[in-house]
Amino acid sequence: ACSRQRSGPRPSPCGLAGCPRCETIVVRRRRGGRAARRPAKGCARRATSPTRDFPFPVSSLQEAAVYYQLARAWNLVPSVFLVLVGAAAATRSAAPFTSPRVGATAGATAAVALGSMAVNDYFDRAPDAVNAPHKPLPSGAVAPDGALLFAGALYAAAFSVGACVDPAPLRWLIAGSAGVTLVYTPVLKRIPLIKTASVAAVIAAAPAAGALAAAGLAGLPAVTPAVVFAFLAVASRELA
């Protein structure tokens, strides 16, 4: 009855008035209680206009913040830290911290860690729509195609760097970690013990990668206790 009420059909989330394949999905966000609208599954404009998933203009900073949350980029710190710990333990010095090979290994490990988070959210977007609707994918802040492209870029960077470092066991270690994280959510996550062993092995591989980058195969004995401890600590946490 309000005289200022807008007449005619309201635009749908994709921007077309009365789009038959769209619906408004209201999601309460954690901060500020604002509502987010996104196109329904099947809308042709969803993949091509991901920024229309927001009910307000999206700046580059806001978009970066969304992808930061999707990749859970705070995992950069432990990923890089474990590689540096392995490199320092293998050489008993801080000299590897300035090594380009150690830096490249740390970057590849971080790219695998961030890419795996995006892949995990992509495959878990249906249960997350119920259990965690505030996440970037179920809330509509990021389109599924955008998440896949983002993860693909991170994995491509990891594989590219991994193919250029020596020795060969280091290349296989980076490639193996990337492969395990790629199939973790769609395949390995459904098998309890394999799931636990996969997560623990990928995390424990980081200090081993640092040792290989800093001192080659000769550096592995020095980090073996740390690798075993990391594997058992992560496995016990996953089983708890």
Side-chain angles (χ1 to χ4, degrees), residues 34-209:
R34 292 175 294 185
R37 299 172 64 207
R38 66 181 175 92
K41 230 174 184 180
C43 173
R45 284 201 172 189
R46 181 173 184 178
T48 56
S49 303
T51 55
R52 286 191 178 272
D53 295 342
F54 289 94
F56 49 84
V58 180
S59 68
S60 298
L61 185 60
Q62 288 171 322
E63 213 167 351
V66 168
Y67 281 95
Y68 176 90
Q69 184 183 0
L70 175 67
R72 304 202 262 297
W74 47 89
N75 289 311
L76 274 171
V77 175
S79 299
V80 173
F81 175 75
L82 287 174
V83 172
L84 295 180
V85 165
T91 59
R92 299 182 183 275
S93 71
F97 293 174
T98 58
S99 167
R101 184 164 56 187
V102 172
T105 301
T109 303
V112 170
L114 302 189
S116 67
M117 297 298 172
V119 170
N120 181 72
D121 279 8
Y122 175 82
F123 285 104
D124 278 350
R125 64 189 187 279
D128 282 348
V130 177
N131 301 321
H134 59 276
K135 284 187 172 182
L137 275 169
S139 70
V142 176
D145 290 348
L148 271 186
L149 184 62
F150 178 66
L154 289 169
Y155 275 104
F159 279 116
S160 299
V161 171
C164 299
V165 293
D166 288 318
L170 177 57
R171 295 195 292 270
W172 285 109
L173 188 60
I174 293 173
S177 296
V180 169
T181 57
L182 271 173
V183 299
Y184 172 76
T185 305
V187 179
L188 303 179
K189 196 174 182 179
R190 304 172 187 176
I191 311 170
L193 291 179
I194 300 298
K195 163 193 171 182
T196 301
S198 301
V199 174
V202 169
I203 294 176

